[in-house]
């Protein structure tokens, strides 16, 4: 039998959306915030020659810089104020979460509720400023080393570049938090999503132009299109896949009435971590590679050039590190968001149990066992989706945007945002039904 929420979801219509004024305001706010972000990607950093930098960028856009430009929504190729995007903030979040697992003080903050989370977020912002300043300074040095890019090299340019890029990232952090609180969806993910989607038409046009000129064989263009469709279908399937554990509730007596035992399910998503491992893995790879790639355009030491080459797109070291980070963060983030012991305790307090499994520690161990097994499948799925297209696309030397990482982010963020919109509509419809029932009761 379908649940009440499922029945409400089936009855959703356009009329329900037209009545949901609060949801419409949230959607308009989200679109307005993303429009502000897109406008910022066209405002260049002061003190550079845009044409000279564009010529320099075109020489290295197929490597790791092309991937960074993808996350930044094209801001890197224009050296805009949002060129660093949210990569330093995401990297800082990773570091804080990893430290929190080993630091008793930070672990205690996580258990303090909303106040503890605010302190952790504050620490994350401070660390993000440090990462952002280091990257911005490295970019400033790299720009000065490029011939004709900087109009007036010197400490004033370096300082203004650091302040501009750090300020841009801090603004995006604030904007993402506002989208999460007052809009629809996760603000950080939506900003990255908007950057990828905004560059998608140009990427498709570039691929078609390569096919027209013969630089890309026709069979390769068709193969990439088929591959993209298959990858999207795989992503949707795995993101919707669940492992449902049967939960049984015993008979209970309330007063003189005896209620029959009930059954339900504990849904465990095959990919509990979502797109987080891919974003985290990409961010960690981009942190050292960004400085190395920009600095390598000037008078850089030999080891920076070596790092840039080894972390190039499609290189074995890049693929190996990317796969390791995806698998690590798939298990790490799943352990953070889902606690088997807490779930088992909640089931025990409510009288529920898994048939054949004792309540308490045995139930927690069983849930952890099942969760570990499905996380192995989820991590393997993320690795394959992220790496296989990367290898093929790098061999064909076409744009980064049609790779597995970009498709994974686009599809996952879309599914999450649509799910949140449906939740708002269901809540709106449920409130309407409650009001009708109350009015009916008063008339009687």
């Amino acid at each position: 039998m379908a649940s009440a929420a499922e029945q409400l979801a089936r009855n959703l219509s356009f009329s329900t959306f037209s009545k949901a004024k609060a949801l419409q305001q949230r959607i308009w706010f989200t679109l307005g915030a993303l429009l502000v972000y897109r406008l910022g990607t066209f405002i260049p950093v002061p003190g550079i020659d845009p044409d000279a930098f564009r010529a320099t960028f075109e020489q290295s856009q197929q490597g790791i810089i092309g991937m960074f430009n993808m996350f930044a929504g094209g801001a890197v190729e224009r050296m805009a104020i949002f060129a660093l995007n949210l990569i330093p903030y995401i990297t800082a979040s990773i570091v804080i979460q990893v430290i929190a697992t080993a630091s008793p003080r930070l672990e205690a903050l996580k258990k303090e509720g909303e106040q503890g989370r605010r302190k952790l977020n504050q620490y994350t912002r401070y660390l993000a400023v440090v990462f952002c300043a280091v990257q911005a300074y490295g970019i400033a040095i790299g720009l000065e080393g490029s011939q004709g890019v900087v109009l007036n090299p010197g400490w004033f340019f370096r300082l203004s570049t650091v302040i501009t890029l750090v300020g841009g990232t801090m603004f995006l952090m604030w904007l993402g938090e506002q989208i999460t609180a007052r809009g629809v969806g996760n603000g950080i993910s939506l900003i990255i999503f908007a950057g990828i989607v905004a560059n998608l038409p140009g990427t498709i046009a570039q691929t078609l132009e390569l096919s027209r000129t013969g630089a890309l064989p026709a069979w390769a263009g068709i193969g990439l299109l088929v591959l993209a469709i298959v990858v999207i279908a795989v992503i949707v399937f795995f993101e919707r896949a669940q492992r449902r554990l049967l939960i049984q509730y015993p008979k209970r007596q309330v007063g003189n009435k005896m209620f029959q035992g009930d059954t339900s399910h504990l849904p465990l998503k095959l990919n509990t971590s979502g797109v987080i491992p891919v974003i985290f893995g990409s961010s960690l790879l981009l942190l050292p590679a960004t400085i190395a790639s920009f600095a390598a355009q000037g008078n850089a030491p030999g080891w920076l050039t070596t790092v840039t080459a080894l972390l190039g797109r499609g290189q074995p070291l890049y693929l190996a590190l990317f796969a390791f980070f995806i698998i690590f963060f798939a298990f790490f983030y799943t352990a953070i968001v889902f606690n088997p012991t807490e779930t088992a305790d909640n089931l025990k307090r409510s009288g529920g149990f898994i048939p054949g499994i004792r309540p308490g520690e045995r139930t927690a161990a069983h849930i952890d066992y099942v969760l570990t097994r499905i996380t192995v499948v989820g991590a393997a799925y993320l690795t394959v989706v992220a790496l296989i297209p990367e290898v093929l696309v790098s061999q064909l030397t076409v744009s980064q945007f049609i790779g597995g990482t970009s498709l994974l982010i686009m599809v996952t963020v879309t599914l999450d945002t649509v799910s949140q919109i449906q939740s708002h509509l269901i809540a709106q419809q449920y409130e309407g039904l409650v009001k009708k029932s109350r009015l009916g009761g008063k008339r009687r």
Side-chain angles (χ1 to χ4, degrees):
M1 182 180 294
S3 64
E6 291 174 342
Q7 292 178 359
L8 286 173
R10 293 171 184 171
N11 295 329
L12 295 179
S13 62
F14 181 78
S15 61
T16 306
F17 177 78
S18 63
K19 296 176 182 178
K21 301 299 181 182
L23 176 60
Q24 293 177 23
Q25 293 177 359
R26 284 178 170 269
I27 292 177
W28 281 115
F29 179 85
T30 303
L31 294 177
L34 294 178
L35 178 61
V36 171
Y37 158 66
R38 288 302 302 158
L39 290 175
T41 60
F42 289 89
I43 303 176
V45 171
I48 66 171
D49 183 350
D51 295 332
F53 176 77
R54 189 177 299 109
T56 303
F57 175 81
E58 290 176 355
Q59 300 175 4
S60 58
Q61 63 175 333
Q62 293 297 335
I64 198 74
I65 293 297
M67 185 175 182
F68 193 87
N69 189 50
M70 175 194 72
F71 283 108
V76 175
E77 62 181 318
R78 294 181 286 271
M79 192 39 63
I81 58 176
F82 293 157
L84 287 179
N85 203 262
L86 290 163
I87 301 302
Y89 175 71
I90 296 173
T91 307
S93 301
I94 300 170
V95 174
I96 292 297
Q97 290 184 11
V98 172
I99 294 177
T101 60
S103 172
R105 180 183 176 185
L106 295 182
E107 186 68 26
L109 286 177
K110 292 174 60 177
K111 298 178 181 179
E112 289 182 5
E114 184 64 25
Q115 184 177 1
R117 284 193 293 271
R118 288 180 180 177
K119 290 184 179 180
L120 286 177
N121 288 337
Q122 197 67 20
Y123 294 154
T124 303
R125 295 188 188 99
Y126 293 150
L127 188 59
V129 171
V130 175
F131 285 157
C132 194
V134 172
Q135 285 185 277
Y137 183 76
I139 289 175
I141 296 298
L143 290 174
E144 288 185 345
S146 300
Q147 186 68 28
V149 173
V150 180
L151 301 179
N152 296 301
W155 278 104
F156 180 78
F157 169 75
R158 298 174 190 175
L159 183 61
S160 62
T161 300
V162 170
I163 293 175
T164 302
L165 293 179
V166 171
T169 298
M170 294 303 105
F171 177 79
L172 286 184
M173 287 167 50
W174 175 83
L175 191 65
E177 292 175 354
Q178 294 302 309
I179 294 175
T180 303
R182 302 171 59 185
V184 178
N186 182 281
I188 304 299
S189 300
L190 279 174
I191 288 176
I192 298 176
F193 168 84
I196 297 174
V197 172
N199 287 288
L200 195 58
T203 299
I204 296 176
Q206 178 187 2
T207 305
L208 294 176
E209 179 65 18
L210 291 174
S211 298
R212 187 186 67 83
T213 58
L216 182 69
W219 63 266
I222 297 175
L224 287 175
L225 177 61
V226 173
L227 177 64
I229 296 175
V230 171
V231 169
I232 291 174
V234 169
I235 293 172
V236 173
F237 174 78
F238 276 92
E239 292 299 323
R240 294 297 186 187
Q242 293 180 346
R243 171 71 162 88
R244 295 189 174 187
L245 297 180
L246 179 64
I247 305 297
Q248 192 168 347
Y249 294 91
K251 296 180 181 180
R252 55 194 176 93
Q253 184 174 357
V254 179
N256 296 326
K257 293 185 178 180
M258 178 66 72
F259 291 89
Q260 294 293 328
D262 194 11
T263 59
S264 65
H265 293 88
L266 175 65
L268 301 176
K269 287 191 64 177
L270 192 65
N271 180 29
T272 307
S273 57
V275 73
I276 296 298
V278 177
I279 296 179
F280 279 13
S282 302
S283 301
L284 286 180
L285 285 175
L286 289 173
L287 179 61
T290 305
I291 303 174
S293 297
F294 274 105
Q297 298 172 13
N299 297 322
W303 66 270
L304 276 179
T305 306
T306 304
V307 169
T308 304
L310 292 177
L311 292 179
R313 185 182 178 190
Q315 296 300 316
L317 180 60
Y318 168 80
L319 296 176
L321 288 176
F322 198 13
F324 170 77
F325 286 141
I326 290 175
I327 296 172
F328 172 77
F329 285 114
F331 282 92
F332 178 77
Y333 198 76
T334 299
I336 291 177
V337 300
F338 193 94
N339 189 335
T341 302
E342 183 179 346
T343 303
D345 291 339
N346 292 335
L347 287 175
K348 187 176 182 180
R349 282 194 293 267
S350 62
F353 63 94
I354 300 176
I357 307 295
R358 287 184 180 181
E361 294 182 1
R362 292 288 183 87
T363 299
H366 178 73
I367 295 175
D368 182 66
Y369 172 73
V370 175
L371 188 64
T372 301
R373 294 179 66 185
I374 63 176
T375 303
V376 171
V377 179
Y381 137 73
L382 288 176
T383 304
V384 171
V385 168
L387 294 189
I388 295 296
E390 290 293 328
V391 175
L392 297 178
V393 170
S394 64
Q395 296 298 321
L396 296 173
T397 63
V398 294
S399 179
Q400 168 72 28
F401 301 113
I402 50 179
T405 302
S406 54
L407 287 176
L408 186 62
I409 293 174
M410 286 191 295
V411 176
T412 306
V413 174
T414 300
L415 292 175
D416 180 64
T417 305
V418 170
S419 177
Q420 290 200 26
I421 292 175
Q422 289 180 343
S423 299
H424 283 288
L425 291 176
I426 292 174
Q428 174 76 17
Q429 192 172 17
Y430 180 76
E431 290 176 0
L433 293 175
V434 171
K435 289 180 180 179
K436 288 182 181 180
S437 63
R438 288 178 179 175
L439 291 175
K442 290 181 179 180
R443 290 173 183 174
R444 293 178 184 176

